Amino acid sequence: MPPRFVRLGETGRRPVTIEIDGEPATALEGDTLLVALLANTGHLRESEFGDGPRAGFCLMGACQDCWVWTAEGERLRACSTPVAAGMRIVTRGAEKLWPSRM
Amino acid sequence: MAEPHVIVVGAGPAGVRAAETLVAAGLRPMVIDEDACGGGQIYRRQPANFARPAEAIYASEAGKASAVHATLDRLAGRIDYLSNTLAWNIDDRLLYVVNGMAAAELPFDALIVAAGATDRVMPVPGWTLPGVFTLGAAQIALKSQACAIGREVAFLGTGPLLYLVAHQYATAGGNVAAVLDTSAKADRVAALPMLAARPALLARGLSYLRDLRRRGVPVLDGVVPAAIAGSQEAGVQCLTVRHRGRAVAIACDAVAMGHHLRPETQLADLARCDFRFDPPTRQWLPVVDRDCRTSVKRIYLAGDGVRIAGADAAEIQGRLAACAALQDLGRAAPDIGAAALRLRLARMDWFRRGLARAFPWPWRLAASLPDNAVVCRCERITAGELRAAVRANGAPEVNRAKAFSRVGMGRCQGRYCGHAAAEIVADAAGAPIESVGRLRGQAPVKPLPIAAKGAGLP
Amino acid sequence: MSGHADVIVVGGGIMGSAATFFLRRRGRSVILLERGLVGQQASGTNFGNVRRQGRFLPQLPLANRSRAIWGRLNELLGEDAEFLATGHIRICYRREDIGALESHARSVEEYGLKLELLSQNMLRDRFPFIGPEAVAGSLSPNDGHANPRLAAPAFAYAARRQGAQVRENVEVLNIEKSGEDFRVETASGEAFRAPAVLVTAGAWAARLSAMFGEPVPLVAHGPQMAVTEPVVYAIRPVVGVYSQVTEEGVYLRQVSRGNIVYGGGNRGPALIDARRAYVKPQNTLRQFRQISRAVPALGALRIIRVWSGIEGYLPDMIPIMGPSAKAPGLFYAFGFCGHGFQLGPGVGDAMAELIDTGATVTPIEPFHIKRFAAAPAVGAQAAARP
């Protein structure tokens, strides 16, 4: 999907490199993980119940629609997590990430 | 008594003013903030490396927002401020919190809950498509991340926030495809006498409307949302509403929706506070006295977390709640001019009721949702499945309907489906809305990690 | 709505609902009276285990009878309450507990239950999600789990479709012998009569048994339940931990939608007068540690809801089931001590048989209420007060 969010300003911030579904992507320091993802693509995850991709809803940590899987098998709530360099997010095919031996 | 432990949950306008008042009385309260740096939602702060001045973010409220932030910063050495910390349960004068994976139980002698609010939403067919967000989300994207939620954003719902956020987008260079209000002009006219209680706010609202019109943004009222269409590949592509008998299709790649706000009452519920049905807003609200006391000793509620009255009212209630707590703890409270504050609150409450009259919650839309419309986003439960649970097995109230249909069993615990679900249950059962009750609160307040360990907090 | 029937059943949990259904199938007219909504109390809030392994041995014939019915729910009721025969594994963490698993496996063979003992390596091979602390396991391949929210209502509403009167929101205030019949009075001002009454009022039954001079030391406790967010379906069998340490005794099951339901460890407070039960937050946190020991992968997940319920317990951990010792025509089935869900269909079927024919082929003598007749009951005074 093409990027969903549109930056209207504050673009002079330091770039941060993350990975989305194995591909490198650029975000800006100070982005939430949700903004980092939606500035690069159009969705965050796939619904567990077959109704397709989801891209979050409330942006304030209430709807719980933006939980994403990291490649390491961890869960992050994207709207309330600041983006960090090196984050590797899996938005499609995340079923393979669980259960993992911990 | 030795120094009493007072905990304030929430660092928005209500929580900050409560903490300030407690500090002024010589206490060292603990302030629990789910977010990183205070301000709540309305005065949410942008990240440290953003450059926009307060006026660009908060417009007319910049002064108030800055004042709340400055107060919180000033209190730093005199409160225990726990950021990124979720209060997930309460039992026996203990507040259970978690920060990342670190869990702790915090004893309190008094607890002031200022947990704020979320958008109140009415499901629309297609609302789970990527690109549908709440009005609050659209505003947060802009205010604290300098982003628009899409290239062409349609704004749908009712309430002052609808016009405010659309105006903010237009001013910031975003493209506003349309502003679609479910309320009718007649509603607003009828409410004018009450809205006149706060003439500055009323004038400001009208100015947003004028500005949007001047920019050529289509602004329609009395709309009936029909559907949000799009594809799994692209997300939202079109919003259709009915307006004066005609179908109107708005091409868009994002929809910001909301009908006012609803208070976050989960902690009050877990604390076993009494709730009462509020007919003008058709929802259950916690019962508080005029000093913000609940039905449970030593527990107080302030701000939008008890009843939606806005940030100014929240600041006043925060002060009143703190004074009530101090009084109940046998401590001298600072003179906050309570009588004058209560008068101002009364005027604000009159305005609040005017807003509810001007921009009513469109409860009738729930009953006309088609059977295949998703009501519970988290669990993907449709209106038809919910109606079947009510009719097939006679589920006359929402918790029973939840047990049979799974509505409200998802991660958001009914925050975004609860009100519409209650309306659908009432309609399917042919019962008055009050009789179907409300979804019973269950811990945790938000999802709690199994990896959490009780080692205390950093 | 007639006020007279062959049998009045007081209490619409799974015991009462199943009994009502099977009595109706036997051609008896039945009135089921439920104070709230059917299946709302212990029957609707328990873990949902449908297991025969790990029971008090004399319960096994009843458990076997019940298991056969679980497998036929679709045929009997038109719905299956999401019963899945996924198997049930008990694991243990200590070598000294292996003996108990082995001896139980030997004991249940004579009741027709075949368990498979698994070494640590076998566990790792077949069920790799089980934690490395497990030193052995015992698998019951044909046990499984079901959805407790659906089971009792399924029986009750099927009974209603077959012609039973199922009355919800009707509270029974008094039962007394009146000529040949029992007369049952309700808070709604109604009176029902029947020559036979079955008390299946769960944690509240002691008040009713006391009316007939049969007080019992019934107390209420709350299960401590939690459920995770949905994840991919990967854990097929129900997993339970066998341990002498109460806190370690957790159990979990994954439903086909993906959520993992679990519970166990310490019990919580259940208030029978207020009809509320709570999960103690400390128990939630303690369970996290134990559940992660059993299945470490759960450590990546979050819980989204906790709940409790009101379960009736007797001090010997054995239910009360069978005829009254004092009043002919009066029958009981209550106090299943947190392990009644699996037994529900069997209890209903056996009690229906007993009430209908005067006897049941399933041995239930060990559950007779007369075992409490000798000593005055702890809390009997409280139980006798209305």
Side-chain angles (χ1 to χ4, degrees), chain A residues 101, chain C residues 89-95 98-99 101-102 115-128 130-139:
Chain A
R101 270 247 184 242
Chain C
I89 301 180
R90 284 202 303 172
I91 61 174
C92 65
Y93 297 136
R94 297 178 184 82
R95 308 223 73 86
I98 299 180
L101 293 183
E102 287 170 342
L115 302 179
E116 211 185 310
L117 289 160
L118 304 165
S119 68
Q120 190 168 46
N121 285 335
M122 291 162 78
L123 275 178
R124 191 168 296 152
D125 282 340
R126 287 178 61 181
F127 307 107
I130 288 182
E133 283 188 66
V135 296
S138 166
L139 168 68

Side-chain angles (χ1 to χ4, degrees), chain C residues 233-246:
Chain C
Y233 186 67
I235 302 173
R236 195 175 142 74
V238 180
V239 178
V241 176
Y242 174 83
S243 169
Q244 304 299 329
V245 178
T246 306

Side-chain angles (χ1 to χ4, degrees), chain B residues 194-271:
Chain B
M194 290 187 270
L195 295 177
R198 299 188 75 182
L201 285 190
L202 177 56
R204 199 176 305 141
L206 291 170
S207 78
Y208 298 151
L209 177 56
R210 265 198 316 271
D211 180 70
L212 286 163
R213 290 219 161 98
R214 210 184 47 237
R215 292 173 185 268
V217 173
V219 180
L220 306 179
D221 59 24
V223 306
V224 175
I228 300 170
S231 69
Q232 289 200 0
E233 294 72 39
V236 172
Q237 290 173 314
C238 177
L239 165 65
T240 313
V241 302
R242 293 203 66 80
H243 178 247
R244 300 200 183 138
R246 287 169 38 253
V248 178
I250 314 283
C252 55
D253 68 341
V255 176
M257 60 190 287
H259 301 265
H260 274 304
L261 307 176
R262 48 157 290 285
E264 285 280 87
T265 55
Q266 295 80 9
L267 266 181
D269 207 353
L270 291 174

Side-chain angles (χ1 to χ4, degrees), chain B residues 91 379 400 403 409 443 448, chain C residues 38 149 257 280 303 305-306:
Chain B
D91 186 34
E379 292 281 315
R400 186 69 155 175
M409 282 200 183
L448 186 66
Chain C
V38 294
R149 287 177 280 105
R257 281 174 72 90
K280 297 296 269 181
I303 60 165
R305 190 167 63 256
V306 304

